[in-house]
Amino acid sequence: MALLPRVLAYAVAATSLVGAAQAQDDDERRIVMVTHGQAADPFWSVVKKGAEDAADEVGADLEYRAPTNFDVARMQQLVEAAIASEPDALILSLVDPDALGDLAQEAADSGLPVIVINTGGHVADEYGADIFIGSDPKLAGKRAAERMIEDGAEKGLCINQEQGNVALDLRCEGFEEGFDGNAEQLATGSDPTEIRNSLVAYLNQNSDVDALLSLGPLATDPIIDEMREQGALEQFHFGTFDLSPTILEALVAEEIDFAIDQQPYLQGYQGVVTANQSAKHLLMPATDLLTGPAFVTPETAEEVQELTEKGVR
């Protein structure tokens, strides 16, 4: 009988140890995601939703950080602050490898899982990243050109609202390659009025252009509005990257030909899931995860419209 209290004591101690281990295992892993995405861009709101949904599901503490406007210097500061805060994992868009690559390498050298999403997949492994999750921008641009040429296009124009953003530059590069050099690039700022005025001025000087590729809603939405006002949408083969209500409406109305969807929800969602599994279980996929390019056309636009209301497309 004298042994019973001791046995109970051991049982209680063992239970306490198991409970402590369980509590430690259940502690939320803190994941910081730093992107170049602007708050006004519908694309990045979908990335963020995917990341937040994943964090809720896996029990991670997610901190999403981004500059107010496209600003590589500000993004550098955000990445530096993220590393200094010693998170359990870092997710970032490698929008300018020259400016951000060394920081990614610093994070990797410190033992952090480093997940690159959306931009910089072509050099992510050179800067210590464990994996890239996103689309192949050059391939997407090339396929856009090929679709337009198949439909009869002869001269292309790629409208780049963030020249210096490596992903956007690669999209235009692929587009020009797909046109076998018979395409040019128009660099604009991100202000809608500037985009509209720059495009109108260019087209007035280059009447042989019959195919337009814009690189996201920030540029595409004002271009669609301008071309509608001029009754000129049907005069061009017109494709864009990414989705917005305006883009989907134009697709449903068959005013534009396609939108290239890189599935931003998956970029955010899989980024957090992958970072969490690496921090928690030391698990990492052996290859990059490509989320695009996928094409949304007038035939599929209505179905995609319904999914955008849920914030996943």
Side-chain angles (χ1 to χ4, degrees):
M1 295 295 292
L3 292 176
L4 184 56
R6 186 177 297 176
V7 172
L8 288 174
Y10 283 138
V12 171
T15 301
S16 298
L17 288 172
V18 171
Q22 183 66 43
Q24 184 177 6
D25 185 60
D26 289 342
D27 283 346
E28 289 187 345
R29 284 146 299 282
R30 189 169 65 86
I31 299 170
V32 179
M33 176 182 285
V34 184
T35 79
H36 64 279
Q38 301 170 42
D41 192 333
F43 177 92
W44 287 101
S45 66
V46 178
V47 173
K48 185 178 179 184
K49 177 172 173 52
E52 290 172 341
D53 285 352
D56 288 342
E57 290 180 17
V58 303
D61 177 17
L62 173 69
E63 297 177 18
Y64 182 93
R65 306 174 183 178
T68 303
N69 299 300
F70 180 69
D71 185 339
V72 174
R74 176 58 181 150
M75 192 177 170
Q76 279 182 302
Q77 295 171 351
L78 292 174
V79 174
E80 288 171 351
I83 296 171
S85 72
E86 299 184 351
D88 294 298
L90 174 67
I91 304 170
L92 77 157
S93 57
L94 199 57
V95 65
D96 185 335
D98 291 337
L100 301 170
D102 288 344
L103 289 173
Q105 187 69 63
E106 177 186 334
D109 290 344
S110 73
L112 280 181
V114 177
I115 316 298
V116 170
I117 66 166
N118 181 258
T119 308
H122 63 302
V123 293
D125 60 342
E126 296 177 21
Y127 293 103
D130 295 290
I131 190 173
F132 169 71
I133 300 174
S135 184
D136 183 330
K138 186 172 181 180
L139 175 64
K142 185 175 182 179
R143 287 187 177 173
E146 291 169 349
R147 289 176 76 102
M148 290 176 172
I149 291 170
E150 186 175 335
D151 288 340
E154 296 182 358
K155 179 69 178 292
L157 177 67
C158 184
I159 304 139
N160 188 343
Q161 78 274 11
E162 289 179 3
Q163 197 168 48
N165 176 335
V166 65
L168 271 58
D169 293 346
L170 285 170
R171 291 173 186 178
C172 283
E173 184 178 324
F175 186 70
E176 292 172 306
E177 183 177 308
F179 263 97
D180 196 24
N182 200 27
E184 295 181 351
Q185 182 177 166
L186 173 65
T188 73
S190 58
D191 177 73
T193 301
E194 179 186 349
I195 292 168
R196 292 169 67 145
N197 292 342
S198 297
L199 178 60
V200 169
Y202 184 92
L203 293 177
N204 284 338
Q205 296 294 321
N206 298 271
S207 59
D208 56 339
V209 171
D210 61 357
L212 304 176
L213 180 68
S214 54
L215 305 184
L218 283 176
T220 305
D221 288 1
I223 289 173
I224 288 175
D225 291 341
E226 177 67 28
M227 303 295 268
R228 275 179 179 155
E229 287 180 14
Q230 297 192 17
L233 265 178
E234 295 182 358
Q235 298 177 19
F236 296 91
H237 303 272
F238 192 172
T240 179
F241 278 80
D242 306 328
L243 303 172
S244 72
T246 297
I247 290 170
L248 285 166
E249 289 167 7
L251 283 167
V252 170
E254 300 185 8
E255 294 175 310
I256 65 176
D257 299 307
F258 59 81
I260 301 173
D261 183 19
Q262 51 180 312
Q263 302 184 100
Y265 184 89
L266 273 183
Q267 293 180 13
Y269 186 92
Q270 293 291 353
V272 169
V273 168
T274 302
N276 183 72
Q277 284 298 319
S278 181
K280 184 177 180 180
H281 294 139
L282 301 180
L283 294 173
M284 182 63 64
T287 60
D288 291 344
L289 174 58
L290 292 183
T291 64
F295 284 82
V296 179
T297 65
E299 291 74 25
T300 59
E302 286 190 14
E303 186 176 0
V304 174
Q305 257 183 331
E306 296 175 5
L307 293 170
T308 62
E309 295 175 3
K310 301 177 181 179
V312 299
R313 294 297 294 268

